[in-house]
Structure formats: structure tokens, C-alpha cells
Amino acid sequence: MVMSSFRIKAIAKSVPQKVVTNDDLTKIMETSDEWIKRRTGIAQRHIATTESNTSMCVDVAKQLVNQAGIDVNQIDYIIVATMSGDYQTPSTAASVQGSIGASHAVAFDIDAACSGFVYGSSVMNTLLAGKKDSIGIVIGGEKLSRLVNWHDRGTAVLFGDGAAGILVQNDGSDSQILGENLSTFGEAGMSLTAGHHAGQNPFGENHDQDDQFLQMDGHAVYNFATKRVPESIEQAVKAAGIELSDIKYFVMHQANERIVKRVAKKLSLSMNKFPVNIHNYGNTAAASEPILLAELAEQGRLHRGDCLALTGFGGGLTVGTIVIKY
């Protein structure tokens, strides 16, 4: 891992105005508020109506720039982690760059599904290490509502829309990514799929059908998460040269409250170290960890010198943890 200063200068989030409660879902599918809460911990989610993935990411970027008090021409890199971009090209990051006028920034997307923000932060750390005082923006942005089959209660109740991110600088301070663990398990990738394109053309005999909707083997993903996430956290903390007890907060992907509780139990840690906000947002994939991080900042719960562990897991299948000295 490349060691460099990774100082978070600003944190921001942007979520759609429309809130869809569990009771709202009972009007369009066979489900109940009690069933959803018991199985997932979710009470509501934000669903985009007028917002696009790009517009939410642009809003986040503008907030970050204003918070940090910088000129957009100082930004060197923009990374957007998303599995639900508005276009295959241009990238969401390129659209953000153009919308905020950051003409000097190199911009690109990455897709590691729910691990995307963690993976993107690791990539940004490497980029910043190559240039003193360089500045980067990492955003996780998702409009998962367009990938959900709203007649499938097994998946439709789980997901929400939103974006959040950080502005970071290699400023020579002692803020840094202390350790990380990134792992991909492609052999299990078909346990969670979305946006299948058959690729039909007049020169072949491809009879597959397009299937844009998100499909998930919930049992397989749950077992994957409860096994691999504790391993990832332990390895990243070990790489950081600290103890689990030194971590103030474990900012985990909000896929299911039961998973978070299971991970805390496996690590023999108090749930006080595992903030949860899934009840308000549902699963927002790559936006999940930064939305939670933004809420911790808004609540005044983050302080310089704190050690934080950010963990994402999901499609790929992937898992990733970074340990940050804030």
C-alpha cells in the first residue's frame, strides 16, 4: 500500500427529496412494515423522482468544494464509484467534472458495487501520493431505483438512492490511510447481478434476453458478508499496526442491520462502535458508507486523530476495508 497523507477536508451527502416508507410499499406489493423491519432494519428509503445519479453527485461535489473553501481548478482527480450511472459513457465523474468546471481534474468512474467507495478511496490514495498537495474528490453515487423490479419484494424493499463523498488532500499531515484489505471473489459473482445486456447483433446467434433488474441470492450474500467482512476488517487493522479496540467507528456498508450486528458479534465488539442508518436510507450500494460518514460528521462525532474503519461488500463479489486516521 502507498503511504501518503490522506486528509479528509470535507464530507457531504445528497439524497432525493422523495421518501418511500415501508407502508408505501405495501400499496404496490405483498409485504408489511413489520416484515421488512424484522428482516432488514429498514423503515424507509429515498427514491429519485426528478434527480439523476449525476445531479446528486454534482450536488455533493459542489458542497465539498464550498466546505473546503478551494477553487475548482485546484482539484486534480475526481473518482465516482457507481453501479448505476446514467450513461455508460460519459462517465458520471466526467459529467461532475464538467458541471463544476474542474477543468484540470482527471475524472473516471469505478464499479465495485457496494465496495466501490472503499476501492475508490484506495485508488485515490495512490494517485495523491504521486503529487504533494494534490486534491481529489471521491464520491459514491447510486440511482438503484432504476435497477429494481418493483414487483419483487425480495429486492425492491432493500434499495434506495443517494450520493455522498469526501474531498481529500495530500497535505503532509499525519492524516492517512493506515492499512487496507481489498479482495474479490469473482467465482461467486453471479450471486448478485444487475443490468445484464445480451449483446444481440445481426452476426451472431445470441438468444439471451436483456435483464436490467437487480437479482440476488440473499442467503449466499449474507453468508459471504458474515464470513468475509470480519476477515477483511481484521486484516486491514493488522496492516495498520493497531488493535480493533483502537478503532472509534466501524463505518460499514448498510446492506442489512442483521449483517452489521453479526459482524460486531464475530469481532467481539460493542454495537456502539458500529453506527447504523439503514433504517432511513436502505441499501444505497457505493453511496452507503459515505452517507453514514457524512451523518457522523454532521453530528459532530468525528475528531482529528480518530481511527475509522470503512468497509464495503457486495457485488463482484467484493469486500474491502480501509483504516483511516482522520
mmCIF file of all heavy atoms in Angstrom, residues 179-220:
data_model
loop_
_atom_site.group_PDB
_atom_site.id
_atom_site.type_symbol
_atom_site.label_atom_id
_atom_site.label_comp_id
_atom_site.label_asym_id
_atom_site.label_seq_id
_atom_site.Cartn_x
_atom_site.Cartn_y
_atom_site.Cartn_z
ATOM 1 N N GLY A 179 -4.009 1.368 6.767
ATOM 2 C CA GLY A 179 -3.980 -0.012 6.307
ATOM 3 C C GLY A 179 -5.212 -0.310 5.486
ATOM 4 O O GLY A 179 -6.219 0.389 5.583
ATOM 5 N N GLU A 180 -5.150 -1.352 4.680
ATOM 6 C CA GLU A 180 -6.297 -1.706 3.866
ATOM 7 C C GLU A 180 -6.290 -3.195 3.554
ATOM 8 O O GLU A 180 -5.267 -3.881 3.669
ATOM 9 C CB GLU A 180 -6.314 -0.909 2.560
ATOM 10 C CG GLU A 180 -5.164 -1.227 1.620
ATOM 11 C CD GLU A 180 -5.263 -0.441 0.315
ATOM 12 O OE1 GLU A 180 -5.699 0.725 0.341
ATOM 13 O OE2 GLU A 180 -4.885 -1.013 -0.724
ATOM 14 N N ASN A 181 -7.457 -3.669 3.154
ATOM 15 C CA ASN A 181 -7.602 -5.028 2.646
ATOM 16 C C ASN A 181 -8.689 -5.002 1.581
ATOM 17 O O ASN A 181 -9.827 -4.619 1.858
ATOM 18 C CB ASN A 181 -7.995 -6.005 3.758
ATOM 19 C CG ASN A 181 -8.348 -7.382 3.218
ATOM 20 O OD1 ASN A 181 -9.526 -7.674 2.988
ATOM 21 N ND2 ASN A 181 -7.347 -8.206 3.000
ATOM 22 N N LEU A 182 -8.337 -5.364 0.357
ATOM 23 C CA LEU A 182 -9.284 -5.412 -0.751
ATOM 24 C C LEU A 182 -9.260 -6.822 -1.329
ATOM 25 O O LEU A 182 -8.187 -7.347 -1.632
ATOM 26 C CB LEU A 182 -8.918 -4.408 -1.851
ATOM 27 C CG LEU A 182 -8.667 -2.956 -1.436
ATOM 28 C CD1 LEU A 182 -8.250 -2.132 -2.652
ATOM 29 C CD2 LEU A 182 -9.913 -2.350 -0.795
ATOM 30 N N SER A 183 -10.424 -7.426 -1.504
ATOM 31 C CA SER A 183 -10.491 -8.795 -2.028
ATOM 32 C C SER A 183 -11.682 -8.936 -2.963
ATOM 33 O O SER A 183 -12.741 -8.350 -2.733
ATOM 34 C CB SER A 183 -10.627 -9.815 -0.889
ATOM 35 O OG SER A 183 -9.538 -9.746 0.011
ATOM 36 N N THR A 184 -11.480 -9.742 -4.019
ATOM 37 C CA THR A 184 -12.535 -10.022 -4.986
ATOM 38 C C THR A 184 -12.710 -11.531 -5.109
ATOM 39 O O THR A 184 -11.730 -12.267 -5.169
ATOM 40 C CB THR A 184 -12.191 -9.419 -6.367
ATOM 41 O OG1 THR A 184 -12.001 -8.008 -6.222
ATOM 42 C CG2 THR A 184 -13.306 -9.673 -7.370
ATOM 43 N N PHE A 185 -13.968 -11.969 -5.145
ATOM 44 C CA PHE A 185 -14.304 -13.381 -5.225
ATOM 45 C C PHE A 185 -15.208 -13.590 -6.442
ATOM 46 O O PHE A 185 -16.413 -13.841 -6.324
ATOM 47 C CB PHE A 185 -14.992 -13.828 -3.937
ATOM 48 C CG PHE A 185 -14.159 -13.581 -2.701
ATOM 49 C CD1 PHE A 185 -14.199 -12.351 -2.051
ATOM 50 C CD2 PHE A 185 -13.314 -14.557 -2.216
ATOM 51 C CE1 PHE A 185 -13.426 -12.114 -0.917
ATOM 52 C CE2 PHE A 185 -12.535 -14.331 -1.078
ATOM 53 C CZ PHE A 185 -12.577 -13.103 -0.442
ATOM 54 N N GLY A 186 -14.612 -13.459 -7.620
ATOM 55 C CA GLY A 186 -15.357 -13.494 -8.862
ATOM 56 C C GLY A 186 -16.087 -14.789 -9.127
ATOM 57 O O GLY A 186 -17.090 -14.805 -9.848
ATOM 58 N N GLU A 187 -15.611 -15.874 -8.536
ATOM 59 C CA GLU A 187 -16.268 -17.165 -8.756
ATOM 60 C C GLU A 187 -17.682 -17.182 -8.189
ATOM 61 O O GLU A 187 -18.519 -18.002 -8.577
ATOM 62 C CB GLU A 187 -15.445 -18.300 -8.130
ATOM 63 C CG GLU A 187 -15.397 -18.340 -6.609
ATOM 64 C CD GLU A 187 -14.381 -17.397 -5.990
ATOM 65 O OE1 GLU A 187 -13.743 -16.616 -6.740
ATOM 66 O OE2 GLU A 187 -14.208 -17.427 -4.753
ATOM 67 N N ALA A 188 -17.970 -16.254 -7.262
ATOM 68 C CA ALA A 188 -19.307 -16.170 -6.662
ATOM 69 C C ALA A 188 -20.086 -14.970 -7.192
ATOM 70 O O ALA A 188 -21.146 -14.624 -6.650
ATOM 71 C CB ALA A 188 -19.185 -16.079 -5.139
ATOM 72 N N GLY A 189 -19.589 -14.366 -8.256
ATOM 73 C CA GLY A 189 -20.161 -13.116 -8.753
ATOM 74 C C GLY A 189 -21.611 -13.181 -9.171
ATOM 75 O O GLY A 189 -22.343 -12.184 -9.065
ATOM 76 N N MET A 190 -22.075 -14.330 -9.637
ATOM 77 C CA MET A 190 -23.455 -14.426 -10.102
ATOM 78 C C MET A 190 -24.463 -14.468 -8.967
ATOM 79 O O MET A 190 -25.673 -14.523 -9.199
ATOM 80 C CB MET A 190 -23.620 -15.650 -11.005
ATOM 81 C CG MET A 190 -22.753 -15.609 -12.262
ATOM 82 S SD MET A 190 -22.931 -14.072 -13.220
ATOM 83 C CE MET A 190 -24.590 -14.294 -13.884
ATOM 84 N N SER A 191 -23.988 -14.399 -7.735
ATOM 85 C CA SER A 191 -24.901 -14.327 -6.591
ATOM 86 C C SER A 191 -25.608 -12.982 -6.511
ATOM 87 O O SER A 191 -26.639 -12.858 -5.842
ATOM 88 C CB SER A 191 -24.134 -14.560 -5.277
ATOM 89 O OG SER A 191 -23.536 -15.826 -5.249
ATOM 90 N N LEU A 192 -25.042 -11.974 -7.193
ATOM 91 C CA LEU A 192 -25.651 -10.649 -7.186
ATOM 92 C C LEU A 192 -25.388 -10.003 -8.546
ATOM 93 O O LEU A 192 -24.242 -9.723 -8.887
ATOM 94 C CB LEU A 192 -25.056 -9.790 -6.053
ATOM 95 C CG LEU A 192 -25.874 -8.596 -5.560
ATOM 96 C CD1 LEU A 192 -25.285 -8.063 -4.253
ATOM 97 C CD2 LEU A 192 -25.953 -7.481 -6.578
ATOM 98 N N THR A 193 -26.441 -9.820 -9.316
ATOM 99 C CA THR A 193 -26.284 -9.297 -10.675
ATOM 100 C C THR A 193 -27.277 -8.182 -10.933
ATOM 101 O O THR A 193 -28.329 -8.085 -10.292
ATOM 102 C CB THR A 193 -26.497 -10.395 -11.735
ATOM 103 O OG1 THR A 193 -27.851 -10.873 -11.643
ATOM 104 C CG2 THR A 193 -25.534 -11.555 -11.532
ATOM 105 N N ALA A 194 -26.943 -7.331 -11.905
ATOM 106 C CA ALA A 194 -27.852 -6.273 -12.348
ATOM 107 C C ALA A 194 -27.393 -5.771 -13.704
ATOM 108 O O ALA A 194 -26.191 -5.783 -14.010
ATOM 109 C CB ALA A 194 -27.877 -5.119 -11.351
ATOM 110 N N GLY A 195 -28.346 -5.341 -14.531
ATOM 111 C CA GLY A 195 -28.024 -4.693 -15.791
ATOM 112 C C GLY A 195 -27.424 -5.605 -16.841
ATOM 113 O O GLY A 195 -26.518 -5.194 -17.571
ATOM 114 N N HIS A 196 -27.937 -6.837 -16.943
ATOM 115 C CA HIS A 196 -27.412 -7.749 -17.964
ATOM 116 C C HIS A 196 -27.838 -7.302 -19.360
ATOM 117 O O HIS A 196 -29.010 -7.049 -19.616
ATOM 118 C CB HIS A 196 -27.913 -9.167 -17.714
ATOM 119 C CG HIS A 196 -27.548 -10.130 -18.810
ATOM 120 N ND1 HIS A 196 -26.242 -10.459 -19.082
ATOM 121 C CD2 HIS A 196 -28.308 -10.805 -19.706
ATOM 122 C CE1 HIS A 196 -26.216 -11.314 -20.095
ATOM 123 N NE2 HIS A 196 -27.456 -11.537 -20.489
ATOM 124 N N HIS A 197 -26.848 -7.185 -20.264
ATOM 125 C CA HIS A 197 -27.113 -6.852 -21.655
ATOM 126 C C HIS A 197 -26.739 -8.049 -22.509
ATOM 127 O O HIS A 197 -25.603 -8.518 -22.488
ATOM 128 C CB HIS A 197 -26.297 -5.630 -22.092
ATOM 129 C CG HIS A 197 -26.624 -4.395 -21.309
ATOM 130 N ND1 HIS A 197 -27.815 -3.726 -21.452
ATOM 131 C CD2 HIS A 197 -25.934 -3.727 -20.359
ATOM 132 C CE1 HIS A 197 -27.840 -2.679 -20.628
ATOM 133 N NE2 HIS A 197 -26.703 -2.665 -19.946
ATOM 134 N N ALA A 198 -27.697 -8.541 -23.294
ATOM 135 C CA ALA A 198 -27.469 -9.743 -24.081
ATOM 136 C C ALA A 198 -26.472 -9.517 -25.208
ATOM 137 O O ALA A 198 -25.790 -10.441 -25.645
ATOM 138 C CB ALA A 198 -28.791 -10.252 -24.650
ATOM 139 N N GLY A 199 -26.361 -8.294 -25.703
ATOM 140 C CA GLY A 199 -25.399 -8.007 -26.761
ATOM 141 C C GLY A 199 -25.777 -8.609 -28.098
ATOM 142 O O GLY A 199 -24.917 -9.064 -28.855
ATOM 143 N N GLN A 200 -27.056 -8.634 -28.398
ATOM 144 C CA GLN A 200 -27.501 -9.209 -29.663
ATOM 145 C C GLN A 200 -27.039 -8.357 -30.837
ATOM 146 O O GLN A 200 -27.039 -7.135 -30.773
ATOM 147 C CB GLN A 200 -29.020 -9.352 -29.665
ATOM 148 C CG GLN A 200 -29.520 -10.332 -28.612
ATOM 149 C CD GLN A 200 -31.030 -10.494 -28.637
ATOM 150 O OE1 GLN A 200 -31.682 -10.015 -29.560
ATOM 151 N NE2 GLN A 200 -31.574 -11.157 -27.641
ATOM 152 N N ASN A 201 -26.650 -9.040 -31.915
ATOM 153 C CA ASN A 201 -26.275 -8.339 -33.146
ATOM 154 C C ASN A 201 -26.628 -9.234 -34.327
ATOM 155 O O ASN A 201 -26.890 -10.431 -34.156
ATOM 156 C CB ASN A 201 -24.781 -7.965 -33.126
ATOM 157 C CG ASN A 201 -23.885 -9.184 -33.086
ATOM 158 O OD1 ASN A 201 -23.870 -9.991 -34.017
ATOM 159 N ND2 ASN A 201 -23.135 -9.341 -31.980
ATOM 160 N N PRO A 202 -26.640 -8.695 -35.551
ATOM 161 C CA PRO A 202 -27.081 -9.484 -36.710
ATOM 162 C C PRO A 202 -26.082 -10.539 -37.159
ATOM 163 O O PRO A 202 -26.361 -11.297 -38.092
ATOM 164 C CB PRO A 202 -27.271 -8.416 -37.797
ATOM 165 C CG PRO A 202 -26.366 -7.311 -37.398
ATOM 166 C CD PRO A 202 -26.391 -7.288 -35.904
ATOM 167 N N PHE A 203 -24.919 -10.620 -36.499
ATOM 168 C CA PHE A 203 -23.878 -11.542 -36.950
ATOM 169 C C PHE A 203 -23.730 -12.765 -36.046
ATOM 170 O O PHE A 203 -22.889 -13.621 -36.282
ATOM 171 C CB PHE A 203 -22.538 -10.809 -37.047
ATOM 172 C CG PHE A 203 -22.603 -9.589 -37.919
ATOM 173 C CD1 PHE A 203 -22.669 -8.325 -37.339
ATOM 174 C CD2 PHE A 203 -22.633 -9.695 -39.297
ATOM 175 C CE1 PHE A 203 -22.745 -7.198 -38.135
ATOM 176 C CE2 PHE A 203 -22.713 -8.565 -40.097
ATOM 177 C CZ PHE A 203 -22.776 -7.310 -39.522
ATOM 178 N N GLY A 204 -24.515 -12.825 -34.981
ATOM 179 C CA GLY A 204 -24.396 -13.952 -34.067
ATOM 180 C C GLY A 204 -25.734 -14.573 -33.783
ATOM 181 O O GLY A 204 -26.774 -14.148 -34.297
ATOM 182 N N GLU A 205 -25.727 -15.583 -32.942
ATOM 183 C CA GLU A 205 -26.951 -16.271 -32.562
ATOM 184 C C GLU A 205 -27.090 -16.251 -31.040
ATOM 185 O O GLU A 205 -27.140 -17.284 -30.379
ATOM 186 C CB GLU A 205 -26.947 -17.710 -33.079
ATOM 187 C CG GLU A 205 -26.941 -17.811 -34.601
ATOM 188 C CD GLU A 205 -27.018 -19.243 -35.086
ATOM 189 O OE1 GLU A 205 -27.083 -20.158 -34.226
ATOM 190 O OE2 GLU A 205 -27.008 -19.449 -36.309
ATOM 191 N N ASN A 206 -27.098 -15.064 -30.510
ATOM 192 C CA ASN A 206 -27.236 -14.889 -29.066
ATOM 193 C C ASN A 206 -28.719 -14.758 -28.733
ATOM 194 O O ASN A 206 -29.354 -13.764 -29.096
ATOM 195 C CB ASN A 206 -26.462 -13.644 -28.605
ATOM 196 C CG ASN A 206 -26.384 -13.561 -27.092
ATOM 197 O OD1 ASN A 206 -27.208 -14.129 -26.391
ATOM 198 N ND2 ASN A 206 -25.377 -12.854 -26.598
ATOM 199 N N HIS A 207 -29.257 -15.744 -28.055
ATOM 200 C CA HIS A 207 -30.690 -15.738 -27.751
ATOM 201 C C HIS A 207 -30.973 -15.310 -26.309
ATOM 202 O O HIS A 207 -32.105 -15.402 -25.850
ATOM 203 C CB HIS A 207 -31.285 -17.127 -28.003
ATOM 204 C CG HIS A 207 -31.121 -17.595 -29.415
ATOM 205 N ND1 HIS A 207 -31.730 -16.959 -30.484
ATOM 206 C CD2 HIS A 207 -30.408 -18.618 -29.938
ATOM 207 C CE1 HIS A 207 -31.413 -17.583 -31.600
ATOM 208 N NE2 HIS A 207 -30.595 -18.588 -31.296
ATOM 209 N N ASP A 208 -29.932 -14.864 -25.606
ATOM 210 C CA ASP A 208 -30.160 -14.343 -24.259
ATOM 211 C C ASP A 208 -31.037 -13.096 -24.328
ATOM 212 O O ASP A 208 -31.068 -12.384 -25.327
ATOM 213 C CB ASP A 208 -28.831 -13.968 -23.592
ATOM 214 C CG ASP A 208 -28.024 -15.185 -23.193
ATOM 215 O OD1 ASP A 208 -28.581 -16.285 -23.256
ATOM 216 O OD2 ASP A 208 -26.841 -15.018 -22.830
ATOM 217 N N GLN A 209 -31.706 -12.831 -23.233
ATOM 218 C CA GLN A 209 -32.539 -11.639 -23.139
ATOM 219 C C GLN A 209 -31.886 -10.620 -22.204
ATOM 220 O O GLN A 209 -31.231 -10.986 -21.230
ATOM 221 C CB GLN A 209 -33.930 -12.010 -22.596
ATOM 222 C CG GLN A 209 -34.710 -12.957 -23.486
ATOM 223 C CD GLN A 209 -35.023 -12.336 -24.835
ATOM 224 O OE1 GLN A 209 -35.506 -11.209 -24.923
ATOM 225 N NE2 GLN A 209 -34.736 -13.078 -25.898
ATOM 226 N N ASP A 210 -32.084 -9.341 -22.512
ATOM 227 C CA ASP A 210 -31.647 -8.305 -21.589
ATOM 228 C C ASP A 210 -32.397 -8.456 -20.265
ATOM 229 O O ASP A 210 -33.571 -8.821 -20.252
ATOM 230 C CB ASP A 210 -31.932 -6.911 -22.158
ATOM 231 C CG ASP A 210 -31.018 -6.545 -23.314
ATOM 232 O OD1 ASP A 210 -30.029 -7.259 -23.526
ATOM 233 O OD2 ASP A 210 -31.306 -5.544 -23.994
ATOM 234 N N ASP A 211 -31.720 -8.194 -19.174
ATOM 235 C CA ASP A 211 -32.364 -8.239 -17.868
ATOM 236 C C ASP A 211 -31.716 -7.180 -16.992
ATOM 237 O O ASP A 211 -30.670 -7.399 -16.391
ATOM 238 C CB ASP A 211 -32.213 -9.624 -17.232
ATOM 239 C CG ASP A 211 -33.010 -9.757 -15.935
ATOM 240 O OD1 ASP A 211 -33.641 -8.758 -15.526
ATOM 241 O OD2 ASP A 211 -32.999 -10.830 -15.329
ATOM 242 N N GLN A 212 -32.341 -6.017 -16.950
ATOM 243 C CA GLN A 212 -31.738 -4.903 -16.232
ATOM 244 C C GLN A 212 -31.906 -5.010 -14.728
ATOM 245 O O GLN A 212 -31.177 -4.380 -13.962
ATOM 246 C CB GLN A 212 -32.362 -3.578 -16.697
ATOM 247 C CG GLN A 212 -33.795 -3.358 -16.194
ATOM 248 C CD GLN A 212 -34.393 -2.056 -16.656
ATOM 249 O OE1 GLN A 212 -34.513 -1.792 -17.842
ATOM 250 N NE2 GLN A 212 -34.760 -1.218 -15.705
ATOM 251 N N PHE A 213 -32.873 -5.810 -14.277
ATOM 252 C CA PHE A 213 -33.216 -5.781 -12.865
ATOM 253 C C PHE A 213 -32.171 -6.459 -11.979
ATOM 254 O O PHE A 213 -31.513 -7.420 -12.377
ATOM 255 C CB PHE A 213 -34.572 -6.435 -12.629
ATOM 256 C CG PHE A 213 -35.709 -5.693 -13.273
ATOM 257 C CD1 PHE A 213 -36.640 -6.360 -14.047
ATOM 258 C CD2 PHE A 213 -35.848 -4.328 -13.109
ATOM 259 C CE1 PHE A 213 -37.689 -5.682 -14.633
ATOM 260 C CE2 PHE A 213 -36.887 -3.629 -13.697
ATOM 261 C CZ PHE A 213 -37.811 -4.321 -14.468
ATOM 262 N N LEU A 214 -32.058 -5.938 -10.777
ATOM 263 C CA LEU A 214 -31.140 -6.471 -9.785
ATOM 264 C C LEU A 214 -31.683 -7.800 -9.261
ATOM 265 O O LEU A 214 -32.847 -7.906 -8.886
ATOM 266 C CB LEU A 214 -30.986 -5.466 -8.644
ATOM 267 C CG LEU A 214 -29.793 -5.655 -7.712
ATOM 268 C CD1 LEU A 214 -29.346 -4.317 -7.176
ATOM 269 C CD2 LEU A 214 -30.126 -6.594 -6.575
ATOM 270 N N GLN A 215 -30.825 -8.821 -9.267
ATOM 271 C CA GLN A 215 -31.191 -10.134 -8.744
ATOM 272 C C GLN A 215 -30.137 -10.577 -7.735
ATOM 273 O O GLN A 215 -28.946 -10.352 -7.954
ATOM 274 C CB GLN A 215 -31.293 -11.151 -9.874
ATOM 275 C CG GLN A 215 -32.370 -10.794 -10.890
ATOM 276 C CD GLN A 215 -32.532 -11.853 -11.944
ATOM 277 O OE1 GLN A 215 -32.501 -13.048 -11.648
ATOM 278 N NE2 GLN A 215 -32.704 -11.445 -13.187
ATOM 279 N N MET A 216 -30.592 -11.182 -6.659
ATOM 280 C CA MET A 216 -29.667 -11.510 -5.586
ATOM 281 C C MET A 216 -30.046 -12.814 -4.914
ATOM 282 O O MET A 216 -31.222 -13.065 -4.634
ATOM 283 C CB MET A 216 -29.654 -10.377 -4.549
ATOM 284 C CG MET A 216 -28.727 -10.598 -3.369
ATOM 285 S SD MET A 216 -28.613 -9.155 -2.287
ATOM 286 C CE MET A 216 -30.305 -9.034 -1.692
ATOM 287 N N ASP A 217 -29.050 -13.641 -4.666
ATOM 288 C CA ASP A 217 -29.200 -14.812 -3.812
ATOM 289 C C ASP A 217 -28.903 -14.336 -2.397
ATOM 290 O O ASP A 217 -27.746 -14.309 -1.958
ATOM 291 C CB ASP A 217 -28.219 -15.909 -4.249
ATOM 292 C CG ASP A 217 -28.339 -17.188 -3.413
ATOM 293 O OD1 ASP A 217 -28.860 -17.112 -2.290
ATOM 294 O OD2 ASP A 217 -27.871 -18.243 -3.886
ATOM 295 N N GLY A 218 -29.957 -13.933 -1.706
ATOM 296 C CA GLY A 218 -29.793 -13.301 -0.399
ATOM 297 C C GLY A 218 -29.060 -14.164 0.602
ATOM 298 O O GLY A 218 -28.231 -13.664 1.379
ATOM 299 N N HIS A 219 -29.335 -15.450 0.594
ATOM 300 C CA HIS A 219 -28.687 -16.370 1.541
ATOM 301 C C HIS A 219 -27.188 -16.435 1.279
ATOM 302 O O HIS A 219 -26.370 -16.368 2.209
ATOM 303 C CB HIS A 219 -29.313 -17.761 1.419
ATOM 304 C CG HIS A 219 -28.798 -18.754 2.409
ATOM 305 N ND1 HIS A 219 -29.061 -18.678 3.764
ATOM 306 C CD2 HIS A 219 -28.007 -19.853 2.241
ATOM 307 C CE1 HIS A 219 -28.474 -19.681 4.389
ATOM 308 N NE2 HIS A 219 -27.820 -20.406 3.496
ATOM 309 N N ALA A 220 -26.808 -16.538 -0.004
ATOM 310 C CA ALA A 220 -25.388 -16.622 -0.351
ATOM 311 C C ALA A 220 -24.655 -15.341 0.003
ATOM 312 O O ALA A 220 -23.527 -15.373 0.517
ATOM 313 C CB ALA A 220 -25.229 -16.934 -1.836
#
